[in-house]
Amino acid sequence: MIDKVDVLSLNLKELQDFVIDLGEKPFRARQIFKWLHQKGISSFNELTDISKNFRSKLFEKAKLQKAYLVKKFVSVEDNTTKYLFKIENDYIIESVLMKYEYGNAVCISSQAGCAMGCTFCASTVGGLERNLTAGEMLSQVYEIQKDSGERVSNIVIMGSGEPLCNFENSVKFLELINSKDGLEIGHRHITLSTCGIVDKIKELANLKLQITLAISLHAPNNFIRKKIMPIANKYSVDELIFAAKEYADFTKRRVTFEYALIDGINDSEDCARELAERLRGSLSHVNLIPINDVEERNYKRSSDKTVKVFCEILKSLNIEATVRRKLGSDINAACGQLRKRYLKT
Ligand code: SAH
């Protein structure tokens, strides 16, 4: 049996080729593209302006592989909503809607599960289940926009999974979300977060996209990084920071280093000074994140005072640093935490 075509992951040109193969006029492609990407349809039956015959050809040859909303949790503390979606093969993924003054940001997943094994992260506990298609990544945004009734202005690829280990689909997602006949969200409003797959950062730099690259650094040296992030056994901190420098040179975009502060692990004043030393001279910004506690590991969030001191040291050494406002901690809004709890029950 020939696999049905995943039409939600096709760009306009590919969709045109597909409709021509079905014996239809090429202009039909744009019509369908808009239904898929601007209206976010859930069935080909909703394509009311094409013939019944064409619709049945679509049912036969194509599929709508998207994320279907299963459950949502609204935070009582702030305007954060966490969504659980079901995708093909019944995998569960999660996304978050965060409302800021500047607009609505959605945090999407790029994989079901994750293979990276970071010790503080809930997404990786069951390993990698599978890569998401570009369409499954897109539909998280479309469904959240439909559910909230408000426009999504910003996207962070910072949910479950390592986007650079799902490189092709992530790049396709970036192309489609920016498409004129889709939501047309500008790349400057999109952040891609990686644990630091150096080879892939280079590949991404070569594409010269205007997205923001965020690198989950979380440690100032290899010794500490290896204790919390297995990827540090493959790429050293220096290699990673060098790749970030190259990325900034190529794209002229400032790189963000994420640094989750874990009590007693990576939050000492020495760590702050060493980090500043390492980052000196790079076009970058450090985003400090008070970690969400991980009971299994006995990891605790650093105290507010420690976070403040860490931030002050970086700034005094001329490293740009901010502390991320924590949103939705009452609904397990950190990477993979909600999904983990949902699967448990
Ligand atoms: N794989 C990518 C993107 C997914 S993780 C990456 O590593 O960047 C998204 C962010 O959430 C990363 O910075 C990750 O380190 C962070 N994160 C994971 N678990 C966390 C926790 N318990 N508390 C705070 N941040 C966490």
Side-chain angles (χ1 to χ4, degrees), residues 55-82:
R55 278 206 299 271
S56 53
K57 279 195 263 184
L58 282 175
F59 274 111
E60 192 191 329
K61 304 278 190 201
K63 61 178 176 178
L64 238 178
Q65 186 171 344
K66 54 185 281 182
Y68 294 90
L69 181 59
V70 216
K71 229 177 161 128
K72 71 171 184 180
F73 301 80
V74 182
S75 167
V76 291
E77 287 176 2
D78 51 49
N79 281 327
T80 303
T81 308
K82 187 112 191 188

PDB file of all heavy atoms in Angstrom, residues 55-82:
ATOM      1  N   ARG A  55     -12.748  16.194  -3.506  1.00  0.00           N
ATOM      2  CA  ARG A  55     -12.650  15.846  -2.073  1.00  0.00           C
ATOM      3  C   ARG A  55     -12.459  14.346  -1.886  1.00  0.00           C
ATOM      4  O   ARG A  55     -11.643  13.908  -1.073  1.00  0.00           O
ATOM      5  CB  ARG A  55     -13.918  16.294  -1.323  1.00  0.00           C
ATOM      6  CG  ARG A  55     -13.913  17.752  -0.940  1.00  0.00           C
ATOM      7  CD  ARG A  55     -14.790  18.021   0.275  1.00  0.00           C
ATOM      8  NE  ARG A  55     -16.193  17.689   0.063  1.00  0.00           N
ATOM      9  CZ  ARG A  55     -17.103  18.523  -0.427  1.00  0.00           C
ATOM     10  NH1 ARG A  55     -16.748  19.759  -0.760  1.00  0.00           N
ATOM     11  NH2 ARG A  55     -18.341  18.158  -0.578  1.00  0.00           N
ATOM     12  N   SER A  56     -13.183  13.553  -2.682  1.00  0.00           N
ATOM     13  CA  SER A  56     -13.023  12.107  -2.474  1.00  0.00           C
ATOM     14  C   SER A  56     -11.650  11.637  -2.943  1.00  0.00           C
ATOM     15  O   SER A  56     -11.083  10.700  -2.378  1.00  0.00           O
ATOM     16  CB  SER A  56     -14.168  11.309  -3.103  1.00  0.00           C
ATOM     17  OG  SER A  56     -14.309  11.650  -4.438  1.00  0.00           O
ATOM     18  N   LYS A  57     -11.083  12.336  -3.939  1.00  0.00           N
ATOM     19  CA  LYS A  57      -9.704  11.995  -4.338  1.00  0.00           C
ATOM     20  C   LYS A  57      -8.739  12.307  -3.196  1.00  0.00           C
ATOM     21  O   LYS A  57      -7.806  11.565  -2.933  1.00  0.00           O
ATOM     22  CB  LYS A  57      -9.294  12.795  -5.588  1.00  0.00           C
ATOM     23  CG  LYS A  57      -9.809  12.202  -6.882  1.00  0.00           C
ATOM     24  CD  LYS A  57      -9.099  12.790  -8.087  1.00  0.00           C
ATOM     25  CE  LYS A  57      -9.922  13.916  -8.681  1.00  0.00           C
ATOM     26  NZ  LYS A  57      -9.355  14.489  -9.930  1.00  0.00           N
ATOM     27  N   LEU A  58      -9.017  13.428  -2.510  1.00  0.00           N
ATOM     28  CA  LEU A  58      -8.159  13.785  -1.368  1.00  0.00           C
ATOM     29  C   LEU A  58      -8.265  12.724  -0.266  1.00  0.00           C
ATOM     30  O   LEU A  58      -7.261  12.294   0.291  1.00  0.00           O
ATOM     31  CB  LEU A  58      -8.546  15.154  -0.806  1.00  0.00           C
ATOM     32  CG  LEU A  58      -8.067  16.378  -1.586  1.00  0.00           C
ATOM     33  CD1 LEU A  58      -8.634  17.654  -0.971  1.00  0.00           C
ATOM     34  CD2 LEU A  58      -6.548  16.458  -1.630  1.00  0.00           C
ATOM     35  N   PHE A  59      -9.494  12.318   0.022  1.00  0.00           N
ATOM     36  CA  PHE A  59      -9.665  11.293   1.065  1.00  0.00           C
ATOM     37  C   PHE A  59      -8.894  10.024   0.723  1.00  0.00           C
ATOM     38  O   PHE A  59      -8.362   9.349   1.605  1.00  0.00           O
ATOM     39  CB  PHE A  59     -11.153  10.967   1.261  1.00  0.00           C
ATOM     40  CG  PHE A  59     -11.842  11.887   2.236  1.00  0.00           C
ATOM     41  CD1 PHE A  59     -12.804  12.796   1.800  1.00  0.00           C
ATOM     42  CD2 PHE A  59     -11.516  11.859   3.586  1.00  0.00           C
ATOM     43  CE1 PHE A  59     -13.439  13.651   2.695  1.00  0.00           C
ATOM     44  CE2 PHE A  59     -12.145  12.705   4.490  1.00  0.00           C
ATOM     45  CZ  PHE A  59     -13.108  13.607   4.039  1.00  0.00           C
ATOM     46  N   GLU A  60      -8.841   9.744  -0.575  1.00  0.00           N
ATOM     47  CA  GLU A  60      -8.192   8.502  -1.004  1.00  0.00           C
ATOM     48  C   GLU A  60      -6.667   8.612  -0.958  1.00  0.00           C
ATOM     49  O   GLU A  60      -5.981   7.699  -0.532  1.00  0.00           O
ATOM     50  CB  GLU A  60      -8.666   8.199  -2.433  1.00  0.00           C
ATOM     51  CG  GLU A  60      -8.314   6.826  -2.918  1.00  0.00           C
ATOM     52  CD  GLU A  60      -8.581   6.707  -4.421  1.00  0.00           C
ATOM     53  OE1 GLU A  60      -9.523   7.388  -4.922  1.00  0.00           O
ATOM     54  OE2 GLU A  60      -7.843   5.978  -5.090  1.00  0.00           O
ATOM     55  N   LYS A  61      -6.138   9.760  -1.383  1.00  0.00           N
ATOM     56  CA  LYS A  61      -4.680   9.870  -1.571  1.00  0.00           C
ATOM     57  C   LYS A  61      -3.960  10.673  -0.487  1.00  0.00           C
ATOM     58  O   LYS A  61      -2.736  10.646  -0.425  1.00  0.00           O
ATOM     59  CB  LYS A  61      -4.380  10.555  -2.927  1.00  0.00           C
ATOM     60  CG  LYS A  61      -4.988   9.892  -4.122  1.00  0.00           C
ATOM     61  CD  LYS A  61      -4.133   8.735  -4.579  1.00  0.00           C
ATOM     62  CE  LYS A  61      -4.660   8.262  -5.927  1.00  0.00           C
ATOM     63  NZ  LYS A  61      -4.327   6.959  -6.312  1.00  0.00           N
ATOM     64  N   ALA A  62      -4.731  11.438   0.284  1.00  0.00           N
ATOM     65  CA  ALA A  62      -4.065  12.334   1.231  1.00  0.00           C
ATOM     66  C   ALA A  62      -4.569  12.106   2.644  1.00  0.00           C
ATOM     67  O   ALA A  62      -5.621  11.510   2.862  1.00  0.00           O
ATOM     68  CB  ALA A  62      -4.322  13.781   0.832  1.00  0.00           C
ATOM     69  N   LYS A  63      -3.802  12.584   3.602  1.00  0.00           N
ATOM     70  CA  LYS A  63      -4.268  12.527   4.991  1.00  0.00           C
ATOM     71  C   LYS A  63      -3.988  13.864   5.668  1.00  0.00           C
ATOM     72  O   LYS A  63      -3.112  14.620   5.249  1.00  0.00           O
ATOM     73  CB  LYS A  63      -3.591  11.399   5.752  1.00  0.00           C
ATOM     74  CG  LYS A  63      -2.081  11.533   5.823  1.00  0.00           C
ATOM     75  CD  LYS A  63      -1.477  10.409   6.637  1.00  0.00           C
ATOM     76  CE  LYS A  63       0.038  10.506   6.618  1.00  0.00           C
ATOM     77  NZ  LYS A  63       0.684   9.479   7.429  1.00  0.00           N
ATOM     78  N   LEU A  64      -4.786  14.120   6.714  1.00  0.00           N
ATOM     79  CA  LEU A  64      -4.606  15.343   7.486  1.00  0.00           C
ATOM     80  C   LEU A  64      -3.963  14.946   8.801  1.00  0.00           C
ATOM     81  O   LEU A  64      -4.647  14.590   9.757  1.00  0.00           O
ATOM     82  CB  LEU A  64      -5.981  15.958   7.741  1.00  0.00           C
ATOM     83  CG  LEU A  64      -6.200  17.373   7.255  1.00  0.00           C
ATOM     84  CD1 LEU A  64      -7.604  17.831   7.535  1.00  0.00           C
ATOM     85  CD2 LEU A  64      -5.193  18.319   7.829  1.00  0.00           C
ATOM     86  N   GLN A  65      -2.658  14.941   8.801  1.00  0.00           N
ATOM     87  CA  GLN A  65      -1.941  14.471   9.992  1.00  0.00           C
ATOM     88  C   GLN A  65      -1.642  15.655  10.903  1.00  0.00           C
ATOM     89  O   GLN A  65      -0.720  16.430  10.647  1.00  0.00           O
ATOM     90  CB  GLN A  65      -0.646  13.766   9.569  1.00  0.00           C
ATOM     91  CG  GLN A  65       0.068  13.137  10.752  1.00  0.00           C
ATOM     92  CD  GLN A  65       1.220  12.254  10.324  1.00  0.00           C
ATOM     93  OE1 GLN A  65       1.345  11.866   9.176  1.00  0.00           O
ATOM     94  NE2 GLN A  65       2.086  11.945  11.268  1.00  0.00           N
ATOM     95  N   LYS A  66      -2.461  15.804  11.936  1.00  0.00           N
ATOM     96  CA  LYS A  66      -2.293  16.979  12.783  1.00  0.00           C
ATOM     97  C   LYS A  66      -2.389  16.627  14.260  1.00  0.00           C
ATOM     98  O   LYS A  66      -2.562  15.462  14.616  1.00  0.00           O
ATOM     99  CB  LYS A  66      -3.323  18.043  12.406  1.00  0.00           C
ATOM    100  CG  LYS A  66      -4.758  17.535  12.415  1.00  0.00           C
ATOM    101  CD  LYS A  66      -5.701  18.603  11.924  1.00  0.00           C
ATOM    102  CE  LYS A  66      -5.985  19.592  13.014  1.00  0.00           C
ATOM    103  NZ  LYS A  66      -6.931  20.631  12.643  1.00  0.00           N
ATOM    104  N   ALA A  67      -2.263  17.638  15.076  1.00  0.00           N
ATOM    105  CA  ALA A  67      -2.370  17.446  16.524  1.00  0.00           C
ATOM    106  C   ALA A  67      -3.813  17.734  16.934  1.00  0.00           C
ATOM    107  O   ALA A  67      -4.371  18.772  16.581  1.00  0.00           O
ATOM    108  CB  ALA A  67      -1.406  18.399  17.237  1.00  0.00           C
ATOM    109  N   TYR A  68      -4.439  16.797  17.643  1.00  0.00           N
ATOM    110  CA  TYR A  68      -5.810  16.965  18.085  1.00  0.00           C
ATOM    111  C   TYR A  68      -5.855  17.258  19.577  1.00  0.00           C
ATOM    112  O   TYR A  68      -5.256  16.530  20.371  1.00  0.00           O
ATOM    113  CB  TYR A  68      -6.637  15.710  17.764  1.00  0.00           C
ATOM    114  CG  TYR A  68      -6.800  15.501  16.274  1.00  0.00           C
ATOM    115  CD1 TYR A  68      -5.880  14.740  15.553  1.00  0.00           C
ATOM    116  CD2 TYR A  68      -7.850  16.112  15.585  1.00  0.00           C
ATOM    117  CE1 TYR A  68      -6.007  14.573  14.179  1.00  0.00           C
ATOM    118  CE2 TYR A  68      -7.983  15.949  14.204  1.00  0.00           C
ATOM    119  CZ  TYR A  68      -7.066  15.177  13.513  1.00  0.00           C
ATOM    120  OH  TYR A  68      -7.187  15.027  12.163  1.00  0.00           O
ATOM    121  N   LEU A  69      -6.570  18.323  19.918  1.00  0.00           N
ATOM    122  CA  LEU A  69      -6.645  18.750  21.319  1.00  0.00           C
ATOM    123  C   LEU A  69      -7.318  17.691  22.200  1.00  0.00           C
ATOM    124  O   LEU A  69      -8.393  17.204  21.882  1.00  0.00           O
ATOM    125  CB  LEU A  69      -7.431  20.073  21.375  1.00  0.00           C
ATOM    126  CG  LEU A  69      -7.621  20.710  22.743  1.00  0.00           C
ATOM    127  CD1 LEU A  69      -6.279  21.016  23.382  1.00  0.00           C
ATOM    128  CD2 LEU A  69      -8.438  21.994  22.615  1.00  0.00           C
ATOM    129  N   VAL A  70      -6.678  17.300  23.301  1.00  0.00           N
ATOM    130  CA  VAL A  70      -7.286  16.346  24.231  1.00  0.00           C
ATOM    131  C   VAL A  70      -7.725  17.028  25.513  1.00  0.00           C
ATOM    132  O   VAL A  70      -8.736  16.690  26.099  1.00  0.00           O
ATOM    133  CB  VAL A  70      -6.301  15.233  24.688  1.00  0.00           C
ATOM    134  CG1 VAL A  70      -7.015  13.914  24.860  1.00  0.00           C
ATOM    135  CG2 VAL A  70      -5.092  15.090  23.814  1.00  0.00           C
ATOM    136  N   LYS A  71      -6.921  17.964  25.977  1.00  0.00           N
ATOM    137  CA  LYS A  71      -7.207  18.521  27.292  1.00  0.00           C
ATOM    138  C   LYS A  71      -6.478  19.850  27.421  1.00  0.00           C
ATOM    139  O   LYS A  71      -5.412  20.013  26.843  1.00  0.00           O
ATOM    140  CB  LYS A  71      -6.629  17.569  28.346  1.00  0.00           C
ATOM    141  CG  LYS A  71      -7.585  17.223  29.447  1.00  0.00           C
ATOM    142  CD  LYS A  71      -6.977  16.219  30.403  1.00  0.00           C
ATOM    143  CE  LYS A  71      -7.775  16.312  31.650  1.00  0.00           C
ATOM    144  NZ  LYS A  71      -8.314  15.202  32.220  1.00  0.00           N
ATOM    145  N   LYS A  72      -7.050  20.758  28.210  1.00  0.00           N
ATOM    146  CA  LYS A  72      -6.272  21.971  28.483  1.00  0.00           C
ATOM    147  C   LYS A  72      -6.362  22.354  29.947  1.00  0.00           C
ATOM    148  O   LYS A  72      -7.325  22.007  30.633  1.00  0.00           O
ATOM    149  CB  LYS A  72      -6.693  23.118  27.571  1.00  0.00           C
ATOM    150  CG  LYS A  72      -8.036  23.705  27.845  1.00  0.00           C
ATOM    151  CD  LYS A  72      -8.210  24.967  27.002  1.00  0.00           C
ATOM    152  CE  LYS A  72      -9.525  25.639  27.333  1.00  0.00           C
ATOM    153  NZ  LYS A  72      -9.750  26.850  26.557  1.00  0.00           N
ATOM    154  N   PHE A  73      -5.350  23.027  30.407  1.00  0.00           N
ATOM    155  CA  PHE A  73      -5.258  23.421  31.807  1.00  0.00           C
ATOM    156  C   PHE A  73      -4.968  24.912  31.836  1.00  0.00           C
ATOM    157  O   PHE A  73      -3.975  25.367  31.270  1.00  0.00           O
ATOM    158  CB  PHE A  73      -4.101  22.694  32.502  1.00  0.00           C
ATOM    159  CG  PHE A  73      -4.228  21.197  32.461  1.00  0.00           C
ATOM    160  CD1 PHE A  73      -3.874  20.486  31.318  1.00  0.00           C
ATOM    161  CD2 PHE A  73      -4.714  20.504  33.556  1.00  0.00           C
ATOM    162  CE1 PHE A  73      -3.997  19.099  31.270  1.00  0.00           C
ATOM    163  CE2 PHE A  73      -4.842  19.121  33.520  1.00  0.00           C
ATOM    164  CZ  PHE A  73      -4.479  18.415  32.373  1.00  0.00           C
ATOM    165  N   VAL A  74      -5.841  25.660  32.513  1.00  0.00           N
ATOM    166  CA  VAL A  74      -5.630  27.098  32.581  1.00  0.00           C
ATOM    167  C   VAL A  74      -5.027  27.423  33.939  1.00  0.00           C
ATOM    168  O   VAL A  74      -5.535  26.996  34.970  1.00  0.00           O
ATOM    169  CB  VAL A  74      -6.966  27.851  32.394  1.00  0.00           C
ATOM    170  CG1 VAL A  74      -6.744  29.356  32.414  1.00  0.00           C
ATOM    171  CG2 VAL A  74      -7.634  27.426  31.097  1.00  0.00           C
ATOM    172  N   SER A  75      -3.946  28.159  33.930  1.00  0.00           N
ATOM    173  CA  SER A  75      -3.310  28.523  35.190  1.00  0.00           C
ATOM    174  C   SER A  75      -4.158  29.544  35.923  1.00  0.00           C
ATOM    175  O   SER A  75      -4.699  30.466  35.313  1.00  0.00           O
ATOM    176  CB  SER A  75      -1.923  29.106  34.905  1.00  0.00           C
ATOM    177  OG  SER A  75      -1.428  29.718  36.063  1.00  0.00           O
ATOM    178  N   VAL A  76      -4.263  29.378  37.242  1.00  0.00           N
ATOM    179  CA  VAL A  76      -5.012  30.371  38.004  1.00  0.00           C
ATOM    180  C   VAL A  76      -4.109  31.534  38.414  1.00  0.00           C
ATOM    181  O   VAL A  76      -4.569  32.610  38.773  1.00  0.00           O
ATOM    182  CB  VAL A  76      -5.663  29.765  39.275  1.00  0.00           C
ATOM    183  CG1 VAL A  76      -6.772  28.806  38.883  1.00  0.00           C
ATOM    184  CG2 VAL A  76      -4.639  29.058  40.149  1.00  0.00           C
ATOM    185  N   GLU A  77      -2.809  31.309  38.345  1.00  0.00           N
ATOM    186  CA  GLU A  77      -1.859  32.340  38.773  1.00  0.00           C
ATOM    187  C   GLU A  77      -1.632  33.420  37.727  1.00  0.00           C
ATOM    188  O   GLU A  77      -1.365  34.558  38.023  1.00  0.00           O
ATOM    189  CB  GLU A  77      -0.493  31.697  39.071  1.00  0.00           C
ATOM    190  CG  GLU A  77      -0.471  30.893  40.336  1.00  0.00           C
ATOM    191  CD  GLU A  77       0.861  30.188  40.541  1.00  0.00           C
ATOM    192  OE1 GLU A  77       1.771  30.366  39.704  1.00  0.00           O
ATOM    193  OE2 GLU A  77       0.979  29.474  41.537  1.00  0.00           O
ATOM    194  N   ASP A  78      -1.640  33.010  36.477  1.00  0.00           N
ATOM    195  CA  ASP A  78      -1.354  33.976  35.411  1.00  0.00           C
ATOM    196  C   ASP A  78      -2.072  33.515  34.150  1.00  0.00           C
ATOM    197  O   ASP A  78      -2.836  32.565  34.172  1.00  0.00           O
ATOM    198  CB  ASP A  78       0.156  34.068  35.178  1.00  0.00           C
ATOM    199  CG  ASP A  78       0.777  32.705  34.975  1.00  0.00           C
ATOM    200  OD1 ASP A  78       0.241  31.932  34.163  1.00  0.00           O
ATOM    201  OD2 ASP A  78       1.778  32.399  35.633  1.00  0.00           O
ATOM    202  N   ASN A  79      -1.794  34.184  33.058  1.00  0.00           N
ATOM    203  CA  ASN A  79      -2.506  33.866  31.823  1.00  0.00           C
ATOM    204  C   ASN A  79      -1.807  32.804  30.986  1.00  0.00           C
ATOM    205  O   ASN A  79      -1.555  32.997  29.813  1.00  0.00           O
ATOM    206  CB  ASN A  79      -2.687  35.142  30.996  1.00  0.00           C
ATOM    207  CG  ASN A  79      -3.830  35.966  31.520  1.00  0.00           C
ATOM    208  OD1 ASN A  79      -4.811  35.407  32.028  1.00  0.00           O
ATOM    209  ND2 ASN A  79      -3.703  37.270  31.423  1.00  0.00           N
ATOM    210  N   THR A  80      -1.494  31.687  31.618  1.00  0.00           N
ATOM    211  CA  THR A  80      -0.836  30.613  30.888  1.00  0.00           C
ATOM    212  C   THR A  80      -1.810  29.458  30.719  1.00  0.00           C
ATOM    213  O   THR A  80      -2.508  29.096  31.651  1.00  0.00           O
ATOM    214  CB  THR A  80       0.377  30.111  31.695  1.00  0.00           C
ATOM    215  OG1 THR A  80       1.244  31.211  31.923  1.00  0.00           O
ATOM    216  CG2 THR A  80       1.138  29.040  30.948  1.00  0.00           C
ATOM    217  N   THR A  81      -1.867  28.892  29.524  1.00  0.00           N
ATOM    218  CA  THR A  81      -2.703  27.719  29.306  1.00  0.00           C
ATOM    219  C   THR A  81      -1.846  26.612  28.713  1.00  0.00           C
ATOM    220  O   THR A  81      -1.076  26.842  27.778  1.00  0.00           O
ATOM    221  CB  THR A  81      -3.863  28.026  28.330  1.00  0.00           C
ATOM    222  OG1 THR A  81      -4.552  29.180  28.799  1.00  0.00           O
ATOM    223  CG2 THR A  81      -4.834  26.865  28.257  1.00  0.00           C
ATOM    224  N   LYS A  82      -1.972  25.451  29.298  1.00  0.00           N
ATOM    225  CA  LYS A  82      -1.205  24.319  28.805  1.00  0.00           C
ATOM    226  C   LYS A  82      -2.146  23.393  28.044  1.00  0.00           C
ATOM    227  O   LYS A  82      -3.247  23.128  28.494  1.00  0.00           O
ATOM    228  CB  LYS A  82      -0.606  23.585  30.003  1.00  0.00           C
ATOM    229  CG  LYS A  82       0.334  22.508  29.621  1.00  0.00           C
ATOM    230  CD  LYS A  82       1.728  22.869  30.028  1.00  0.00           C
ATOM    231  CE  LYS A  82       2.707  21.911  29.391  1.00  0.00           C
ATOM    232  NZ  LYS A  82       4.046  22.100  29.884  1.00  0.00           N
TER     233      LYS A  82
END
